[in-house]
Amino acid sequence: MGEYTHIIHSFEPVYNENSRVLILGSLPSVKSREEGFYYGHPRNRFWKVTAEVVGKPVPVTIEEKKAFLLDSRIAVWDVIAECDIIGSSDASIKNVRTADISVITALCPDIAIFANGGTASVLYDRHILPKSERPAVRLPSTSPANAAWSTERLIEEWKRVLLPVLFHN
């Protein structure tokens, strides 16, 4: 199965005072860590789905992705700040130290929190919710491992859940 690697999350969260939603993944994949930014695996559908949700072109470069997120009022980070993991296998995650989302919630007290997939949701509920007392809504994962959800179905569900929050005053 492979060897465990100790990972320390190396990207800063993306947010500003206009952020309306915070989307939390679990931990950047190997490909994302190589690229140096969130959702870097070419088959991860995050960028396509969020672009469809807000009606904008899919960003390509890291700078375009940051600008896209901020312009769309979407904040992005991960639940895990540090852990041991084998490759990109969420199932192998152990020795978790979570991110401190209070830096975002302090600036954006009304921000709605969403977990991108089951692992992020479970880890959030276990480690962050007891401190934050702010529940996170679980979204179906944009990971290519979530083959049960087509891209079209993901877009429809993410639109249904996110649009009322993103565009409510």
Side-chain angles (χ1 to χ4, degrees), residues 1 4 20 31 38 42 51-52 70 88 91 116 118 120 130 139 143:
M1 180 164 168
Y4 272 93
R20 301 283 300 171
K31 285 289 187 195
Y38 300 94
E52 287 287 334
L70 296 176
S88 296
N116 185 356
L139 291 167
S143 167

Side-chain angles (χ1 to χ4, degrees), residues 29-91:
S29 67
V30 171
K31 285 289 187 195
S32 294
R33 294 191 304 265
E34 287 171 1
E35 183 178 299
F37 201 64
Y38 300 94
Y39 304 104
H41 193 290
R43 289 192 3 248
N44 191 300
R45 298 165 289 179
F46 178 84
W47 298 109
K48 180 171 180 46
V49 169
T50 53
E52 287 287 334
V53 167
V54 298
K56 295 180 180 176
V58 177
V60 178
T61 67
I62 291 173
E63 287 310 311
E64 286 174 359
K65 291 173 180 178
K66 287 179 183 177
F68 165 84
L69 291 168
L70 296 176
D71 291 345
S72 301
R73 304 192 312 172
I74 298 171
V76 173
W77 206 4
D78 289 307
V79 173
I80 298 172
E82 192 172 334
C83 73
D84 296 321
I85 188 170
I86 298 172
S88 296
S89 170
D90 281 353

